Amino acid sequence: PLPVDLDRLARPATEGEVRHALAALIAAVPGARPRSVPSQLGRGVPGALLPGAGPAILLTAAQHGNEPTGVVGALLAAHALAAEGAALALAPLENPDGAALHARLLRDWPGHMHHAARPLADGRDVQAAPDAEGALRHRLAAESGARLHLNLHGYPAGPWLRPFTGGPPRGFEDWALPRGVFLILRAAPGWQAAGEAALAAAARALSADPEIAALTRRQRAWFRRLRPDAPEESRIAEIPVLRRPALPGAPCPVEIVTETPDETVAGARFRLLVRAQTLAALAAARDWRRRAP
């Protein structure tokens, strides 16, 4: 068992809790190997290779330091998948410098989204920094042979749902709109069918949870009121899904991104969104392993 009751956390996990949980997971899986690259402020980006049967899966979280539910969800999903004998490449805290800034800022203003903690210390995004923190996901994918990247994220939706929590800067306005829990698929040519199957599995798992489905319906209704001119969104069951081209230089040909409105939340809502992250990651990973593309 993990040394921290992660599924009971009602606030972001501390860096120490993340590293402790990852170390416990490595110790529990025979042949598991830690992996790390330096962060720009010297903290180190923690990761691991967990051997197992079937196709390996790359599972990452905290690409952005102020999106906390994916961190806990990634560790919970990794623990469950490792118990099933899955092969995993895990990086649950890709931006530890940003997460540390987020933790410090939360002490002063716990209800603020703290967009300043989103990027790396030099202002770049993890996916745009393969020479820095972004090197770990590429190393993990190469060593494991993973072809599916489960990338757990959050988004603000703050100014409309939780006023006075701050607003995202210019260029991020669309992320202020509520959509509930939603998913993004990026698949390279030739990988669309496998990606769609895993996407559908994740969406169905989320839709089957009454609280997650109800939250998403409420927030989608808000979205339609705020953006009545927006095109009708694609959905699988209750969950909005977006399909985007694969990013150049991505570590895997298929990427499924989870998005939960987790910036500024705590308490029961935090636990609910951690559950959403965990359910989506588990369902997509299990479908991928079953189909063994």
Side-chain angles (χ1 to χ4, degrees), residues 18-100:
V18 173
R19 294 184 186 276
H20 193 191
L22 181 60
L25 188 57
I26 292 169
V29 177
R33 293 166 286 165
R35 290 290 183 267
S36 180
V37 299
S39 79
Q40 294 179 49
L41 299 183
R43 287 185 174 84
V45 183
L49 289 169
L50 306 177
I57 293 156
L58 174 63
L59 177 57
T60 67
Q63 177 173 319
H64 303 131
N66 62 335
E67 299 172 5
T69 60
V71 176
V72 184
L75 288 165
L76 290 170
H79 184 67
L81 290 168
E84 296 171 9
L88 288 175
L90 176 63
L93 192 64
E94 284 198 291
N95 183 1
D97 295 342

